Amino acid sequence: RPLRSSCRGYDGHSDLHVGITNSKGVVYSYDQEGVHRAGSGWEQCISIPLVQPDMWELLQQWDDLLEEFSLEEAWLPHRYEEQQHNCYTFALAFVNRVRRGREPLSKAQFTERFLIPHTREASRYLTLHQELAHRDFYIVPLPEQEQ
């Protein structure tokens, strides 16, 4: 299942809100009010695949694991702390939980391996989109080349 980061109106400098989806696309995220489950509101996001399609056994258990994880005491509202125990901590802790037996990823490793490649690509797209939105452009299809 993918990790979701909302990009609506993203300026490239502020923090993104992060969540994990279940198999039905419901996003689980954590903030000062606790764990939220949202079936909408994440339409403009970066979706980062975390599980390979051949990991069938994990995919079958994903929803139950995510629901059980989200109910743990660690994710109660009073535990939230903006810098050290936040939505990113929630997502990373869940990823490390499902890695079972493998070395846990640090924040730096997780960021480098999963987030940076996708956020760089999104940043290039958003920059291009902003440039196009603020300039007069006319796009025409290229004529098909003769064979």
Side-chain angles (χ1 to χ4, degrees), residues 41-94:
W42 290 75
E43 290 78 10
Q44 294 187 24
C45 69
I46 300 170
S47 180
I48 301 172
L50 298 173
V51 180
Q52 301 299 322
D54 63 345
M55 301 176 98
W56 190 84
E57 185 178 326
L58 177 55
L59 289 170
Q60 296 304 307
Q61 300 172 19
W62 187 270
D63 290 359
D64 291 337
L65 292 170
L66 182 55
E67 182 62 27
E68 289 170 18
F69 178 80
S70 71
L71 296 173
E72 292 178 4
E73 192 175 318
W75 313 116
L76 291 173
H78 72 276
R79 297 281 178 108
Y80 182 84
E81 199 281 308
E82 188 173 346
Q83 297 301 317
Q84 298 299 318
H85 195 75
N86 53 34
C87 63
Y88 192 87
T89 312
F90 174 81
L92 178 57
F94 182 72

Side-chain angles (χ1 to χ4, degrees), residues 12 30 36 38 41 46 56 69 72 95 97 100 103 105 114 121-122 132 137:
Y30 177 65
H36 299 274
I46 300 170
W56 190 84
F69 178 80
E72 292 178 4
V95 168
R97 173 80 53 90
R100 294 183 183 155
E103 188 72 24
L105 295 169
F114 290 97
E121 185 177 331
L132 291 172
F137 284 96

Side-chain angles (χ1 to χ4, degrees), residues 2-5 18-20 48-50 87-96 99 104-118:
L3 174 85
R4 300 282 174 117
S5 298
V18 176
I20 304 270
I48 301 172
L50 298 173
C87 63
Y88 192 87
T89 312
F90 174 81
L92 178 57
F94 182 72
V95 168
N96 281 328
R99 288 174 54 85
L105 295 169
S106 68
K107 283 187 177 186
Q109 290 169 321
F110 183 62
T111 301
E112 186 69 32
R113 192 178 305 172
F114 290 97
L115 300 181
I116 288 178
H118 295 279

